[in-house]
Amino acid sequence: MIPVLEQLTEQQQNEVKKQMAIYKQGVQDIIPTEELETKVAKSILENRPLKIKLGLDPSAPDVHLGHTVVLNKLRQFQQNGHVIQLIIGDFTGKIGDPTGKSVARKQLTTEEVEHNAKTYFEQFGKIIDMEKVELHYNSKWLSKLNFEDVINLAGKITVARLLERDDFDERISTGKPISLHEFFYPLMQGYDSVMLECDIELGGTDQHFNILMGRHYQEKFGKEKQVAMLMPLLEGLDGVEKMSKSKRNYIGIDEAPNEMYGKSMSIPDTLMVKYFELVTDLDKEEIDTIKSDVASGKLHPRDAKMLLARTIVRMYHGENAASAAEQNFITVFQQGTLPDEIPVVTWTGADKISVIDLIVELKLLSSKSEARRMITNHGVKINRVKVENSNLLVAISDGLIVQVGKRKFVQISRG
């Protein structure tokens, strides 16, 4: 049989090369790369879009830039005419993915899954065209399996293979329990790929085991095996930990433009290129130019970071909001003046209050310990004067301005 690539015209072969260059950008691993190229070539030859799978267990509905690493790659496939299959784990979500967990995850209720899924859709629409997405709920097929079906599914995988998972191995070695139902999570995720006959499945590197289960089960059921595309995990603003809301090192895609811009400017210089590659919509040529200009000294790292911040805000709020956020940053942080617009809060409390209680009452920070730590780190100002004493008693006056950190301002009105 003539190899697929040799059946293509020169123009079609160039299209394969163009798509492959796009798909490879920023990817940690493709398993295997040659199969991806063959699938792209077949889709062009047969004029058939590929089916690109992303499975979601909607356990945390707030989307941040770390989540968009995979979504941006989905957008690239969608722009080339391929079909995105979003699988909402309304069945698997009730079990919980054990990936990276030292204990069993809390099982979600039906109501929690539905609420979180709806929130996902609204936020994903900022990145991919949701009207062209296939939405699937895996309860449609998983809830119909009887016990004999489940035994048959379990019989297609060995216990030794399941114990290859790092998190299972770690829990066994430290004497922590593993519930039997947790073993079924990767089996069900693999079965999703069988039912939808997926060509490619995307996920973070922490989903390596689960995504390979799709290839395993497709082969066991006589299907063409999917390609696994593993995206790198994005470090958060601390430059160390994976971006996470619980780590407070995240940039949410629903955050206000000024907050988003300010946070972006705190991204470590060493991660700038990674952010350009993984979370922006700039093409490879633009990113390569930025990299070379910074390396040669033609572009100052600060200016590159401002371009990064402006691009991120523009993607989620538009060009005008991005320009305004940049001007606000220049005014507040580079020139040291107050922003043009400061949120006004009507104060109905006591005439005098401790600075720590004031910060918490104004919801500038969520706890007294955070407020005390911020004061210790010289991050609190009252009327532009730095607070040095965490026991300070503040006299509330009309127009009083409280600043916490570099981006949070509140002006008090006595009504």
Side-chain angles (χ1 to χ4, degrees):
M1 180 180 290
I2 303 175
V4 177
L5 280 168
E6 293 182 17
Q7 299 177 51
L8 301 178
T9 65
E10 183 178 352
Q11 183 179 2
Q12 289 172 326
Q13 289 180 8
N14 289 335
E15 177 63 22
V16 173
K17 291 178 183 177
K18 187 195 83 172
Q19 289 196 32
M20 287 297 293
I22 293 170
Y23 303 148
K24 286 180 179 179
Q25 182 181 335
V27 175
Q28 184 85 14
D29 201 3
I30 300 174
I31 308 172
T33 302
E34 59 272 16
E35 285 188 21
L36 175 61
E37 186 174 46
T38 299
K39 283 179 179 288
V40 172
K42 283 178 66 176
S43 81
I44 292 172
L45 182 66
E46 300 170 2
N47 194 27
R48 175 185 60 83
L50 296 174
K51 299 176 181 178
I52 318 298
K53 170 190 173 187
L54 176 65
L56 302 165
D57 282 329
S59 55
D62 292 323
V63 177
H64 54 62
L65 288 188
H67 298 119
T68 71
V69 173
V70 172
L71 295 174
N72 285 326
K73 187 59 61 178
L74 285 180
R75 184 183 66 238
Q76 292 173 352
F77 277 103
Q78 194 176 58
Q79 288 172 339
N80 283 314
H82 301 297
V83 175
I84 306 305
Q85 298 175 315
L86 283 186
I87 302 179
I88 306 302
D90 59 332
F91 192 95
T92 45
K94 295 175 185 177
I95 292 176
D97 182 2
T99 299
K101 301 299 176 182
S102 59
V103 295
R105 288 182 65 163
K106 172 182 173 288
Q107 297 181 30
L108 300 176
T109 65
T110 300
E111 291 73 23
E112 288 173 323
V113 170
E114 290 176 350
H115 169 75
N116 292 352
K118 183 176 182 294
T119 308
Y120 269 133
F121 300 157
E122 293 170 352
Q123 295 175 81
F124 282 10
K126 295 184 176 184
I127 303 166
I128 58 177
D129 185 349
M130 290 297 293
E131 293 185 3
K132 296 181 180 178
V133 167
E134 285 186 6
L135 290 175
H136 301 275
Y137 291 82
N138 63 11
S139 62
K140 183 177 180 180
W141 49 84
L142 291 176
S143 63
K144 293 178 181 177
L145 296 178
N146 60 36
F147 197 63
E148 183 178 356
D149 296 326
V150 175
I151 294 297
N152 180 49
L153 193 63
K156 297 182 185 297
I157 189 78
T158 66
V159 172
R161 179 72 188 278
L162 289 172
L163 291 178
E164 290 175 7
R165 290 187 62 136
D166 292 339
D167 24 51
F168 285 162
D169 184 56
E170 187 272 335
R171 282 160 68 179
I172 289 173
S173 64
T174 56
K176 295 177 180 177
I178 302 173
S179 297
L180 184 59
H181 77 279
E182 293 181 84
F183 283 112
F184 284 91
Y185 186 94
L187 276 62
M188 292 185 292
Q189 183 166 332
Y191 191 65
D192 290 346
S193 294
V194 173
M195 294 302 296
L196 294 181
E197 299 184 331
C198 310
D199 291 301
I200 300 165
E201 180 170 2
L202 270 68
T205 52
D206 57 347
Q207 288 293 312
H208 181 276
F209 187 90
N210 288 342
I211 292 176
L212 289 185
M213 282 295 101
R215 284 177 61 83
H216 175 86
Y217 273 101
Q218 283 174 325
E219 183 177 36
K220 291 295 183 181
F221 280 90
K223 307 281 187 180
E224 183 178 316
K225 292 187 288 186
Q226 68 183 23
V227 171
M229 291 188 67
L230 304 175
M231 301 301 296
L233 302 179
L234 186 69
E235 295 90 346
L237 302 179
D238 55 5
V240 179
E241 298 274 5
K242 168 186 170 184
M243 184 174 284
S244 166
K245 191 167 185 181
S246 63
K247 300 287 186 183
R248 298 182 179 276
N249 65 351
Y250 70 101
I251 301 175
I253 69 170
D254 269 350
E255 290 191 270
N258 288 350
E259 183 76 2
M260 184 178 282
Y261 192 101
K263 281 187 173 183
S264 299
M265 289 301 294
S266 67
I267 294 169
D269 288 355
T270 54
L271 288 176
M272 267 201 298
V273 171
K274 189 171 186 178
Y275 270 73
F276 270 117
E277 289 181 339
L278 298 181
V279 305
T280 75
D281 57 3
L282 301 184
D283 60 35
K284 186 177 185 302
E285 289 72 23
E286 290 175 292
I287 295 171
D288 286 344
T289 299
I290 293 167
K291 287 162 61 176
S292 63
D293 286 352
V294 170
S296 67
K298 184 178 179 181
L299 180 64
H300 194 283
R302 181 201 60 234
D303 296 328
K305 194 176 294 185
M306 290 179 73
L307 172 59
L308 174 62
R310 188 166 65 249
T311 301
I312 291 171
V313 177
R314 186 259 301 156
M315 288 173 64
Y316 300 102
H317 296 285
E319 194 68 59
N320 291 339
S323 297
E326 182 166 86
Q327 187 56 51
N328 177 75
F329 181 85
I330 292 170
T331 300
V332 176
F333 302 108
Q334 293 187 354
Q335 298 176 0
T337 58
L338 292 172
D340 292 334
E341 295 184 11
I342 299 177
V344 177
V345 173
T346 300
W347 182 261
T348 57
D351 292 337
K352 289 187 177 182
I353 185 172
S354 75
V355 64
I356 288 177
D357 287 338
L358 177 62
I359 291 168
V360 175
E361 286 287 328
L362 293 174
K363 295 183 171 56
L364 292 169
L365 292 172
S366 59
S367 69
K368 292 183 179 182
S369 59
E370 284 184 281
R372 187 173 288 106
R373 189 160 50 247
M374 184 64 78
I375 293 170
T376 301
N377 293 331
H378 310 293
V380 176
K381 292 181 180 180
I382 303 291
N383 283 342
R384 304 182 68 179
V385 176
K386 191 176 296 181
V387 176
E388 304 286 355
N389 180 8
S390 59
N391 296 316
L392 176 70
L393 200 62
V394 179
I396 303 299
S397 60
D398 194 50
L400 185 80
I401 295 175
V402 183
Q403 178 184 350
V404 173
K406 294 181 178 180
R407 295 182 293 273
K408 296 181 179 179
F409 294 83
V410 164
Q411 183 173 350
I412 289 177
S413 168
R414 294 305 301 260

